[in-house]
Amino acid sequence: MKSRNLITNPWNTRGSVVPPEVPQEEQKNGPSPAEIRQRAFEIHIERGGIHGCDLNDWLEAERELQQKYKNEVQEQR
């Protein structure tokens, strides 16, 4: 049985933790995946680099940055 490349296998349900690239126009109202990734890494380091909490780190980073963007939009009004 021939193995398939995970990247091209359409039946691969275990996708990457990193979301796909988002067109620039859609990033104006919130943090980019790169910003979230950077903040999630910072949270990981702040916790002492303990592995196994990557999803929690990502979600926390996403919440923080979305709140930051929301506050900036409110200040501009």
Side-chain angles (χ1 to χ4, degrees), residues 17-19 32-34 36-38 40 43 53-63:
V17 175
V18 178
S32 70
I36 297 169
R37 187 180 309 114
Q38 177 63 37
I43 292 169
C53 300
D54 53 335
L55 179 59
N56 291 337
D57 294 344
W58 183 276
L59 295 174
E60 177 62 28
E62 198 171 40
R63 276 190 296 270

Side-chain angles (χ1 to χ4, degrees), residues 18-30:
V18 178
E21 291 297 319
V22 179
Q24 188 67 27
E25 302 86 43
E26 296 179 26
Q27 294 180 8
K28 294 179 181 177
N29 295 328

Side-chain angles (χ1 to χ4, degrees), residues 11-22:
W11 298 280
N12 178 18
T13 59
R14 300 193 79 191
S16 173
V17 175
V18 178
E21 291 297 319
V22 179

